[in-house]
Amino acid sequence: MNTYMRFFDKIFTFFKSIGESFYDSVIYDNRYEFILKGLFHTIIIAFFAVIIGIIIGIIIALIRHNYDTNGKMRIGNKVSTIYVNIIRGTPVLLQLMIIYYVIFKSVNVNIVIVGILAFGLNSAAYVSEIIRSGLISVDKGQMEAGLALGLSYGKVMRYIILPQAIRNILPALGNEFITLLKETSAGAYIGILELTKASDIIASRTYDYFFPLIITAFIYLIMTLGLSKLVNVMERRLSNARS
Amino acid sequence: MLEVKNLKKCFGNNVVLKDINFKVNKGDIISIVGPSGSGKSTLLRCINMIEKPSGGNIIFEEKSLMDKNTNLSLIREKIGMVFQQFNLFPHLTVLDNITLAPIKLKLMSEDIAKKKAIELLKTIDLKDKADEYPNSLSGGQKQRVAIIRTLIMEPDIILFDEPTSALDPEMVGEVLELIKKVADTGKTMIIVSHEMNFVKKIANRILFLDEGKIMFDGKTKDFFNSDNERIKEFLSKINK
Ligand SMILES: Nc1ncnc2c1ncn2[C@@H]1O[C@H](COP(=O)(O)OP(=O)(O)O)[C@@H](O)[C@H]1O
Ligand SMILES: [Mg+2]
């Protein structure tokens, strides 16, 4: 009998301590506000960074593709290639630190904007490669047939190549956004209050890392798994589309 | 209307075309023949500048295509091209394949382009395929649509690069028949083909290309009766 009692007692205490931890980490002193704010910043940074990444990435991809197919824009291609290699060849945390501590050293600027800029410039390199390989995946004959009809390079791109490349590009862009969402946690290092930093702040107050970190991991997981599902659906829809 | 002058083309160290010279007059139907790898496709592709020549010049309707100020797109509207691999646009319906260029180049309104496309499709008995996608067509049907796509632009000259080489044998006839029909309208054409019987019937002139040079340029009849060893060897190989 006694052992049973002790067993239930243990379980009870366990749940009670979880409850207390939860209370301390999330409810007490409105600590959930850190998490909400962190989540907000994580999403904002990833979202605007991927938009910057897509805009610059498209420009880089078109320059490089134009060079690959026509031999035009030699210098633009050189510059773009160097850029892509540097970005992909160095850690994003380092890039973030260089932009924050070196470039914006003496400028008073919102740190979230620094994050958006750094992750955007980083993402651009990866996005440009995604778009470029999407463009390359379209048969060369398509560009030739378009040009032979008298369409300009731009019109062939817009009406013939891009609509076909998009089915490879979109899912990959979705995955890039997922990656970016996780990578923004590097922003914690320069003091951006994003999701990872939020859990760090809470933990430093409760002296208990377990709960804040688990909650944060859980939030990341929900977002990334949800987005992965979306990407899968998109992938299926696009490949079912007429070809 | 078209003049190829001292045309040279290299890919790296590989000299594919050496000093090609010939003229095309309005109404000419010229067939380019020669062993595979002799540079026939490269020559055709240089004529509409899809491949940039390494030297020499192409003059089309008094304009030099090597001149940086020449608007190549405008020139290409007037030079149709039919590819071995058809190169239809797989994401567009048959109708949209045909009307894309005239609409986007603002040569016709959408209504007129569609009407015209349907009319052209009727001539090849494919009107009921107008809203289908290229994937659902046979090879022969694809190539005939590709020819229609070129015809709607009303080009002054059409280049055919082995239009039947990618087809199953039973579909070759329908495509050649359509090409013959277009030829009979007096359209200027350059046709690269290994279908010697067809070439004999349709071409008024033959260019024989061998190792990047024009070895023969003359009347069709003279080509098939030539004593030249290389030509004889070529013809006997191809007739096997
Ligand atoms: N894009 C290219 N890059 C490099 N070499 C090429 C290219 N296109 C053609 N060639 C070479 O040019 C030669 C002639 O090819 P092609 O014009 O296709 O001959 P044909 O059409 O008479 O069979 C071949 O040796 C081929 O390998
Ligand atoms: Mg060829």
Side-chain angles (χ1 to χ4, degrees), chain A residues 203-224:
Chain A
S204 68
R205 300 197 175 173
T206 59
Y207 303 105
D208 172 17
Y209 271 90
F210 178 77
F211 221 83
L213 291 181
I214 290 297
I215 290 177
T216 310
F218 196 64
I219 295 174
Y220 276 117
L221 261 180
I222 290 176
M223 289 195 292
T224 53

Side-chain angles (χ1 to χ4, degrees), chain A residues 70 72 139-153 155 159-161 163-164 167 242-243, chain B residues 45 48 50 73-74 76-77 79-81 83 87-92 100-101 104-105 133 135 149-150 153:
Chain A
N70 299 330
K72 284 184 186 164
D139 180 50
K140 252 181 73 201
Q142 296 287 304
M143 172 61 80
E144 292 174 357
L147 290 178
L149 284 166
L151 296 164
S152 61
Y153 176 84
K155 286 202 165 93
Y159 298 114
I160 298 168
I161 309 294
Q164 294 182 60
R167 62 181 53 184
R242 304 275 200 128
S243 63
Chain B
R45 294 151 59 81
N48 68 358
I50 279 180
S73 293
L74 284 180
R76 287 180 184 135
E77 285 178 23
I79 305 181
M81 185 155 196
F83 299 85
N87 294 346
L88 290 181
F89 308 130
H91 62 300
L92 298 178
L100 178 76
K104 297 307 174 194
L105 293 169
Y133 285 80
N135 258 3
R149 180 174 70 177
T150 300
M153 298 295 291

